[in-house]
Structure formats: structure tokens, C-alpha cells
Amino acid sequence: MNEPGKRLWNARPTAGVDQDRTHKDRRVDVKIGPGGRIAIPEAFREAMEAGEGDTLVAVIDGDGVVQLTSASAALRMARRIVSEAIPGEVSLSDSLIEDRRREAGR
């Protein structure tokens, strides 16, 4: 339900997408439909690499800000975190095998 004095969102975009599909602005107003459903604009779904039937992860912070993440976006973030934490020349599988051999030798 909408609280008195709270602004209702509407489906009119407040920003567009350039012809090359890059975002001019990352904000679009959407309307809450029946059952609390919202439609994610096409440009946003494309940027998230999410399609019909995909599962999104929704996270809400203490200020009520909701973040939606697709599986492909979560994978990209995880890969980036790992690549920043582990130098490219390090082989995790080789390191694991070496650790297991040391343990077996004890």
C-alpha cells in the first residue's frame, strides 16, 4: 500500500538509451502492478543479461534500496573479485594438488 504523501512511481522513463545501447542515465521509473509485480525495462534486462524465466537475486539495504542481480552479473562480480585477489600466474588447482600431496605425505 502507498503511504499518504509518498510519491507513486509511474511507467514513464525518465532517461533513455543511446542508439548504441549505452545508458545515458541509470534511472527509470516503474509502476508496481497487481501482486507487487514490476516490469524491468528491456535496456536494463539486456545490461543485466537477464531474460524471461531467469532468477534474480534481490537484496534490500537498511535504507530500503533494492538491488537486483542476475546470475551472469553475479558471476562477473565473483570473477572480478577472484582475479583481483589472486595473481594471474597462480594456479589454484595446482596449489590445491600440492597441498593435498603434502597432507598425504604426513
Side-chain angles (χ1 to χ4, degrees):
M1 284 287 175
N2 188 41
E3 296 176 30
K6 287 267 187 171
R7 180 173 178 261
L8 289 174
W9 296 98
N10 61 44
R12 292 181 312 238
T14 59
V17 176
D18 291 330
Q19 293 300 329
D20 65 354
R21 309 303 290 171
T22 59
H23 300 280
K24 289 185 205 173
D25 188 349
R26 297 171 49 143
R27 178 180 172 213
V28 173
D29 292 350
V30 295
K31 184 176 182 178
I32 298 174
R37 297 175 188 210
I38 63 167
I40 300 171
E42 180 181 11
F44 283 52
R45 294 190 313 269
E46 287 175 0
M48 295 171 68
E49 297 178 9
E52 186 174 332
D54 288 350
T55 298
L56 302 177
V57 176
V59 178
I60 188 165
D61 70 13
D63 292 324
V65 175
V66 176
Q67 178 183 23
L68 293 176
T69 307
S70 65
S72 59
L75 184 58
R76 278 193 310 273
M77 287 186 288
R79 286 180 175 158
R80 187 187 73 243
I81 290 167
V82 169
S83 69
E84 290 171 359
I86 300 169
E89 65 276 359
V90 173
S91 169
L92 293 179
S93 57
D94 289 344
S95 180
L96 177 63
I97 291 168
E98 184 181 325
D99 288 348
R100 295 292 186 252
R101 285 184 179 148
R102 274 196 306 267
E103 288 177 20
R106 290 186 203 161

